[in-house]
Amino acid sequence: MWAPMAGLSPRLTLAAFPGAARLCLWRAGAARWKGVPARNRLESKRYILSPDLAETMVPFLLRNDGCDLILEINPGPGILTRALLQRGARVIALESDKTFIPHLESLGKKLGGKLHVLHCDFFKLDPRSFGVIKPVVNSKLLFQKFGIETLPWSKGIPLKVVGIFPTKNEKKMIWKVLHDIYSCTSIYRYGRVELNFFFNELESQRMMANPLNPNLYYALSVLWQVAYDVKLLHTEPWSSFDMCSQSGQREKPESKESLEQQTQQNLCLIQLTPHKDLFSQHLTSVNYDVFFHMTKQCFLKRHGKLIDHLTSLSPIDAMDILKKIRQDKTIKIIDMYPSDFKCLFETIECSKDHTCKWLYDDFMEDVIV
Amino acid sequence: MSALRWGRGAAGLGWALWPAGRPGLLAEEGTLGGLWGCRRSSSASPCEQDRRRDWGHAELLEVLEARVRQLQADNVSEMRAKLLDVARIPEADGSQSPRKVEAGNEGAALGLTSRWAQKLHKEKLVMQKRKQKLEENLQKQARKHQLRVEPQLLNRQLAGWLQRWERSTPRSPWEEQLAQLLQEAPKRLSREEQHDQANRLSKMRYEAQQQRLLAFLECCVLADQLPLAHHVLVMHHSKSRQQRALTLPMYNTLLLGWARKGSFKELVYVFFMMKDAGLAPDLLSYAAALQCMGRLDQDASTIQRCLKQMAQDGLQLQELFTSLPLCKEDKAVLLRAVRKAEPTFLPPQPPLPSFEVNTSPLLKEIYSTDLPASFPKQHLPLETLKDLFRQQLSVEMATIVTVDSVEKAPSLTEEVLQARKTLQELRTRWEAELCLALQQTKAREAQAAREGRPSLFPYLCLLSEGELTQLMLQTLQVLSQQGESLLSLAQELGMRIFNRHVVQRKQLNDEVQALQERYFKYLHLLASDTQVVMSRLPRQHWEALGTTEASQDQPWPLTVVVQLGKQLAEVLVQTVKMPSNLAQLQDTQKLIPVLYHVYSFQSFRQIGILKPHPAFIQLLETAAERTMTFESAEVPMLCPPLPWTSPHSGAFLLSPTKLMRSLEGTIQHQRLLEGCPPTELHGALDALTQLGNCAWRVNGRVLDLVLTIFNAKGCPRLGVPSPASEAPRPSKHRLPANASPERKTELRRELARCLKVAREMHSLRTDALYRLSLAQHLRHRVFWLPHNMDFRGRTYPCPPHFNHLGSDLARALLEFAQGRPLGPHGLNVAKVLEGFISRKVVKQTVMTVVYGVTRYGGRLQIEKRLRELSDFPQEFVWQASHYLVRQVFNSLQEMFSSTRAIQRWLTESARLIARSGLAVEWVTPLGIPIIQPYHHDSKVSISGGIQSLTFCSSGDTNQKPNTLKQKNGFPPNFIHSLDSSHMMLTALHCYRKGLTFVSVHDCFWTHAADVAVMNQVCREQFVRLHSQPILHDLSRFLVERYCSGPRSTNAQVAKLQEMLLSVPKTGTFDLDQVKHSTYFFS
């Protein structure tokens, strides 16, 4: 019933959907969210609306690896929540939109108490601005409440997070997640938390890029891949997440192109499992910012040679470093794999004879995201 | 230093303070010769790119370059760049095939150095054979690169005329040609606009280009590079597209230059070009022609013809002497020429300084002639003041002041002496190397200019290489450990060059002598032992003693300033090197750069930073040289400042100072000030002059006390900052290797916090160090603090480091030079208000609500205050601040409803004005014109070199106004401008009563004995100022400025007019109460 729809043009889909959407809503037992005011199209929230998609996702999340605690971000109508609960998972739902809360709560009651619902925005948890924060966005208090235990980094996965990555402030959010994992703060205080997020297609291609697809290869690709095992699980067309097109309400798009661009894009479900060996003797949660800086500076001139970059990264002799990491002096930034960057960093960091290893200084970065 | 990364070491934790002189790891240099130092990677010189292409070429180029250097010895240094080009030509052609094979086998060749040696030898032979050819080529090139003198005209008829006349023998005289040219001159002053208004961006770029070209030509004339300027003009003129960019002022610049040199031939060539371009000569062109004739002593008939033609063109002879910015000598020659033709001609006398008087009702008493003018005199006799003037003059001619630091001198251990010696040796070496590098840069730039590319050549010629080198070494000396952004460094360097150049020019033009004479006469008014017959204020007296010459030094375009600074910074980065191991200075050692170009990432921007090598900072610290260098305009003056007479003349004797300070590149304030009638500014000029005339001295006892505390690690509680070494340190014990990630994160935060504190302490300490060192330097001296104002009219002392602005410490160090005993009311000064702490929490917010602070900002302010209270339970800060800000806003809404109405009216008016595409302007009750410099950012980028720089300026009037800033800024700026008017009025009236008076914004000072009088004046003036129909005046001004003329038909403008006319009612506050209020000024 869903499959052929995906291929239809937006307009046709619209015409075909109202009935189906309502049907699936009744099945899910929720009609309230129809009352949610439609926002600006580009900012409109996306939710997992298709039960089939939910069914596809469940095996990825529950795979008998000893962790059945799922943190679902903005479940909205709760279609995935329902599927997860039915398979016996424990779910904590963090919903930022108040309208959905009563519905989710009733869903929890119906399905036997394994669901905790909380009105809270996951992406505003633990802001990095060290100032006074609202208690509700303090992950420490939050996790205490649910009795989530800390697992050592080398051990298993304490918690799985699933949701759709926001398009608004996307870059900022990506940096926040990266800072959190490299510094072991926020949710990573509790161990190797696994993330399962829908990203837009371009961003997910960038996440997985390496020298083989140089056009998409960026500093972020390196940082993602050094920290996580990045796995593409599933691709789903954008339209199946859009509440407005699903329910038949539609405002006049601001511009045709942006709408079409967005509708034609897919969302990719990416699984991000933190590497057990992310931290080593030389790359730690104390000095990771130097690693960030090094990577960013290298990618400022992506086609430049490494040897040229080294002179403005470290006062240590560039040839010497190249010899140690066994790289040719003609190697370009674009030719280096993510693991090479980590190796480069550790080599410089462990060089013994130098009292000053980096030209980097703390003030040069504004780490507050 | 300790601020270096603390997190490192085997476990990635702990720290190490890095010991001095520890040997660095020396790597084998491989094929990368010392000559090529690894630092040059990002330079964009042509040979550099070749190196990147492959190593074979790099090797070869080295040989070639060595050869070039040999050749260079026989040639002038300027030829070098050209030589390099020539040397590279053979490389490109096919005869060099062996080299290409080598390049292909690079891997193998690298291993076999002996093979390389053989090949190099072969190359050398080839080179020798080519030597002959090369030098021939060179001569050919040189001929080709001769500067062009003859113009290439686009108009065929005119070109034929020029050619016929060039070939004719004997040539008809130049003056004939000129007369003919002038006679048939087109009657057009400027080109018609060829740009459609729609393409605003490209038009702006085009105008910026024109501005740069004009500045280039003017600078060439100043730097005595007239032939080059002529060449560039001819080059541009010969291409029809480039010719369109040439403007009349550009041709005039050249005309004037040639006229001063008396080169009639080139002058006529320029006239030919002007005619070809279809531009009619204006007054300045005629002045140039006449001047040239005067210098060549032409006969009367020629000059007569020229004058006649001028009259036919509708230009007045008199105006030659009144409306042109010519220097004295130019005018004298001009007069000589005119007299030849008309022996009876009398130049119009310079208009006598206008004794027109400001008519503002607020200033009526000040300028009334009923009573003699009154102002506080200096307490020093004439001869002392004269001597002080000489001292100040010599300081400003030297451009820099060297001051001993007040930091404790180190004990002269072996280590310290060694470090000083090393530093000295390095500096000597750098000086020579920098000079050489500058020569090379100049040669490159000269070549660029010859080829018609944009070039910095004339700017680099303004100061000698030695001076530029000193400037660069000074920059290196003060660079902080964290480095400085390349952009600000470049801008500062560029501005320093400009300022120095202005000072030098004043010296060359004999302005110094004239200044001294005038100043000595002026002193009769101020000195304690002399009298002047006429009763005048200092400014009036100064104006009566002579005319102020129009400023001849136009500021350079900001892009030029930055480009020039960037060029020098690049030279510095590429040239300055030190041995990798500073402990032993040997020639064989590998050299490493002293400066590194690194990037910083701040949110989504990348900022290029120049950072010194930590070892160099260490060396500086060990050497502990206890001297610091200041620009002469950063130090208080040793004699009374020049009175302010115009928007650009006053304050320092030679260093250029602006009446209204503004960000570099914002010119609208200056334009507005110059455009308004001189009398309007009298109030501001007199107030600023008088504020600057207050003599100061250092309070020695306080200084002694502060110095004792300062050198005993400071005391932040007393306002004496501690050194950064006193900063809190992270806990010392090492973390176990298996420490939890959370623990490590905590440590990271702790480290970051400590670093931040250390940095803040360092900057506070440096600020205090400058202040105290200057105080020590000026101890036992009398000095003056010249004043200027910001764009809202608030007054500030010009010297930035040592003045009465700032903390209690800063004020305590200063006292009036002319002491007077404490009067009966003196005790009141020491009175301290009580219940301060509880008020302090909300005071800032209450005060800033008037200035339009938002609820969010208010909460932050209160939060900060609450945090400062040590006994406040910190976990309630968030809730408490929310509660308080709500309370404050609610109660304020009730209290100040009429104030809020006024504020709303101001905001709305500003919004409508900005929306109509104009910046908000107004005039203060004292007559100072004000314009808000808030526009959308204009981005200018300068590419090439080590980094492309992009700078944003929000003051560019070509951009649309920034509505948000214009509307939010208007209420506070308007109130500030009223406050400043009040301050100036109080000041002027105090002077009228003979009081000494200084102020810091809303805090007024006088002698303790005079406090009662000042208090009274202050209240009276407040009442008088606010009895004026201020808002109605404002409304009238705004309506006239924005709603008249062709604009008035617009519907938007009609709406604006309606808004402007609906002036809100002022409150029912009884102003007379102010006179009796105890706490009005506290």
Side-chain angles (χ1 to χ4, degrees), chain B residues 193-211:
Chain B
E193 276 305 307
Q194 285 163 334
H195 304 272
D196 45 298
Q197 291 294 323
N199 206 345
R200 195 169 159 169
L201 196 76
S202 78
K203 187 177 157 238
M204 267 167 52
R205 210 171 293 150
Y206 188 72
E207 279 170 1
Q209 237 170 17
Q210 287 184 325
Q211 200 192 2

Side-chain angles (χ1 to χ4, degrees), chain B residues 217-364:
Chain B
L217 295 174
E218 280 170 353
C219 190
C220 274
V221 174
L222 290 178
D224 203 17
Q225 297 287 343
L226 206 51
L228 183 68
H230 189 85
H231 168 81
V232 170
L233 193 76
V234 170
M235 291 266 288
H236 273 80
H237 186 90
S238 63
K239 292 180 193 127
S240 66
R241 253 186 69 200
Q242 293 182 359
Q243 196 196 95
R244 257 176 271 143
L246 298 180
T247 57
L248 188 59
M250 295 180 194
Y251 291 103
N252 278 345
T253 306
L254 263 284
L255 285 179
L256 210 59
W258 288 125
R260 285 194 189 125
K261 283 194 181 295
S263 311
F264 215 97
K265 180 174 149 194
E266 282 86 354
L267 186 91
V268 172
Y269 279 146
V270 180
F271 269 111
F272 259 108
M273 284 193 276
M274 262 170 76
K275 188 178 169 66
D276 188 38
L279 293 169
D282 68 354
L283 206 59
L284 198 60
S285 324
Y286 274 106
L290 287 168
Q291 193 188 143
C292 196
M293 291 173 187
R295 280 188 204 269
L296 293 178
D297 213 16
Q298 294 278 339
D299 52 44
S301 64
T302 317
I303 298 173
Q304 261 160 2
R305 262 166 76 182
C306 187
L307 289 177
K308 203 174 141 202
Q309 184 63 43
M310 199 172 112
Q312 273 176 17
D313 285 359
L315 300 169
Q316 296 297 320
L317 182 55
Q318 300 282 332
E319 280 180 23
L320 279 180
F321 297 90
T322 53
S323 60
L324 291 181
L326 295 174
C327 69
K328 250 185 212 154
E329 200 214 335
D330 285 353
K331 278 187 184 165
V333 178
L334 197 58
L335 185 63
R336 207 164 62 211
V338 174
R339 283 250 170 93
K340 222 169 186 179
E342 294 182 26
T344 55
F345 177 77
L346 271 178
Q349 282 304 312
L352 280 169
S354 61
F355 290 110
E356 282 174 58
V357 171
N358 188 302
T359 51
S360 161
L362 291 168
L363 294 169
K364 210 167 69 195

Side-chain angles (χ1 to χ4, degrees), chain B residues 403-416:
Chain B
V403 172
D404 286 331
S405 160
V406 291
E407 266 183 315
K408 220 185 290 169
S411 49
L412 293 176
T413 57
E414 191 63 31
E415 195 195 1
V416 172

Side-chain angles (χ1 to χ4, degrees), chain B residues 215-225 260 396-400 457-464 467-468 471 492-512 551-557 560-561 564 631-632 654-656:
Chain B
F216 171 87
L217 295 174
E218 280 170 353
C219 190
C220 274
V221 174
L222 290 178
D224 203 17
Q225 297 287 343
R260 285 194 189 125
E396 286 194 42
M397 300 233 274
T399 65
I400 50 167
F457 179 67
Y459 301 98
L460 288 168
C461 295
L462 289 177
L463 300 184
S464 73
E467 282 169 303
L468 289 176
L471 209 60
E492 197 179 326
L493 261 175
M495 278 319 292
R496 282 187 176 197
I497 295 178
F498 175 74
N499 285 346
R500 256 166 227 213
H501 154 68
V502 172
V503 171
Q504 275 195 2
R505 253 173 56 81
K506 284 187 182 161
Q507 291 177 45
L508 286 178
N509 289 355
D510 294 330
E511 282 177 37
V512 175
S551 148
Q552 295 189 1
D553 295 289
Q554 290 301 314
W556 298 334
V560 169
V561 172
L564 184 61
E631 295 285 302
S632 58
L654 300 176
S655 318

Side-chain angles (χ1 to χ4, degrees), chain A residues 117-146:
Chain A
V117 183
L118 200 74
H119 176 223
C120 148
D121 188 346
F122 175 80
F123 295 99
K124 287 184 181 156
L125 274 187
D126 306 319
R128 300 190 63 85
S129 57
F130 311 122
V132 193
I133 55 169
K134 288 188 202 168
V136 72
V137 291
N138 186 340
S139 69
K140 217 170 181 175
L141 296 177
L142 206 69
F143 281 35
Q144 221 167 29
K145 196 169 159 189
F146 299 116

Side-chain angles (χ1 to χ4, degrees), chain A residues 8-16 250 253 256 259:
Chain A
L8 296 177
S9 80
R11 197 147 285 283
L12 276 176
T13 326
L14 260 181
R250 170 163 255 210
K256 240 182 196 166
L259 176 74

Side-chain angles (χ1 to χ4, degrees), chain A residues 183 285 293 320 355 359 364, chain B residues 18 25 599-600 611 745 748:
Chain A
S183 63
S285 54
H293 183 267
D320 202 40
T355 47
L359 291 166
M364 288 162 61
Chain B
W18 89 133
L25 186 66
Y599 283 94
S600 149
K611 203 169 148 58
T745 310
R748 216 191 97 71

Side-chain angles (χ1 to χ4, degrees), chain B residues 385-402:
Chain B
L385 286 172
K386 277 187 180 175
D387 189 48
L388 287 174
F389 170 82
R390 286 189 202 102
Q391 291 177 26
Q392 174 66 20
L393 193 64
S394 70
V395 165
E396 286 194 42
M397 300 233 274
T399 65
I400 50 167
V401 182
T402 311

